[in-house]
Amino acid sequence: MPLIAPSLLSANFLKLSDECKMLNDSEADWFHLDVMDGRFVPNISFGIPVISAISKATKKTCDVHLMILEPEKYAEAFRDAGANNLTVHYEACVHLHRNIEQIKSLGMMAGVAINPHTRVELLRDILPDIDVVCLMSVNPGFGGQSFIPNTLEKLSTLRKMINELNLDVKIEVDGGITLENAKQIVDSGADVLVAGNAVFKSADPKQTIHQLKSL
Ligand code: DX5
Ligand code: ZN
């Protein structure tokens, strides 16, 4: 059974409190929180004060996806804001291993996200040190984009690598997940499904989360 991580990027920001309540009452496992800096990605979302407010409104895992340059400057602030998982981008970190060590020393689970063009094989030497791989199935920066089909092949390769190395690393797939493609994604090896538009723009978000969960 996959873990479900609704992305609050697609939530109604005027009703964040209601959105958090809805997720708390749902079968959602993680709150996925997308932070964008307008430099690593061509968009700006929300940051530390908003995450701090959201994390106080839930007991569920706060999964913070940093699409920012120099994440080491803010790791402690995100921890203080309530992040449980902190994910940084492979493409944004010159000293990825150091960044991962920092995140773990701050008491958070550490994740590495890779863009659609980045080969999963490049994660080989960092896999033993991390808790989560966030496989981007769209180019990061925006919700509501279409799933890039070759992610499925990358997903199977990554699943195989993790199994062969006998590691306990979760694979999270992020971007363009719908009720139609989710089963294939789970069958290809995903442990965690991020879903923004599919959840928040649906007629019945709780029911959609239930459907994703019961795949
Ligand atoms: C994209 C973000 C995703 C996004 C997913 O940059 O990392 O988490 O919010 O949204 P959907 O599910 O609508 O593609
Ligand atoms: Zn994300």
Side-chain angles (χ1 to χ4, degrees):
M1 207 181 258
L3 299 179
I4 308 301
S7 165
L8 280 99
L9 189 62
S10 303
N12 181 342
F13 293 157
L14 265 184
K15 298 190 172 163
L16 263 186
S17 164
D18 294 343
E19 302 281 47
C20 289
K21 276 190 203 118
M22 180 279 290
L23 291 181
N24 284 338
D25 291 345
S26 77
E27 289 166 64
D29 299 278
W30 293 358
F31 279 36
H32 185 82
L33 301 160
D34 288 302
V35 179
M36 305 176 185
D37 65 354
R39 296 174 68 216
F40 178 64
V41 289
N43 197 9
I44 297 176
S45 57
F46 49 76
I48 292 156
V50 173
I51 290 177
S52 182
I54 292 173
S55 73
K56 290 190 182 80
T58 187
K59 291 193 176 69
K60 299 195 186 199
T61 297
C62 289
D63 174 39
V64 176
H65 176 193
L66 296 183
M67 286 160 271
I68 69 173
L69 299 177
E70 301 180 304
E72 64 279 2
K73 285 190 182 168
Y74 307 99
E76 191 170 353
F78 281 107
R79 194 273 315 270
D80 294 345
N84 305 108
N85 299 346
L86 199 64
T87 292
V88 295
H89 263 265
Y90 179 89
E91 302 83 4
C93 296
V94 179
H95 299 288
L96 182 62
H97 184 270
R98 179 181 289 153
N99 294 347
I100 294 304
E101 292 301 303
Q102 180 199 25
I103 292 169
K104 291 195 297 188
S105 73
L106 288 164
M108 294 176 283
M109 295 206 285
V112 174
I114 58 169
N115 281 340
H117 72 273
T118 302
R119 290 172 61 90
V120 292
E121 286 81 357
L122 293 171
L123 295 171
R124 170 66 185 79
D125 291 342
I126 199 74
L127 273 179
D129 298 302
I130 64 179
D131 302 290
V132 180
V133 172
C134 179
L135 199 56
M136 292 307 301
S137 36
V138 297
N139 284 294
F142 303 90
Q145 304 180 80
S146 305
F147 185 87
I148 298 175
N150 92 331
T151 312
L152 291 176
E153 213 178 298
K154 293 174 73 178
L155 182 51
S156 311
T157 308
L158 180 62
R159 179 83 272 160
K160 229 172 124 213
M161 273 168 74
I162 291 173
N163 290 353
E164 278 170 10
L165 294 166
N166 208 4
L167 295 170
D168 183 20
V169 179
K170 286 192 172 24
I171 306 178
E172 176 178 41
V173 178
D174 185 4
I177 297 186
T178 63
L179 283 174
E180 288 68 44
N181 63 18
K183 184 165 175 2
Q184 206 180 359
I185 297 166
V186 173
D187 289 346
S188 304
D191 302 297
V192 186
L193 301 178
V194 175
N197 270 29
V199 166
F200 287 99
K201 309 292 183 212
S202 73
D204 186 345
K206 257 194 257 180
Q207 175 62 16
T208 303
I209 292 167
H210 172 72
Q211 282 171 275
L212 287 169
K213 186 81 193 170
S214 14
L215 286 168

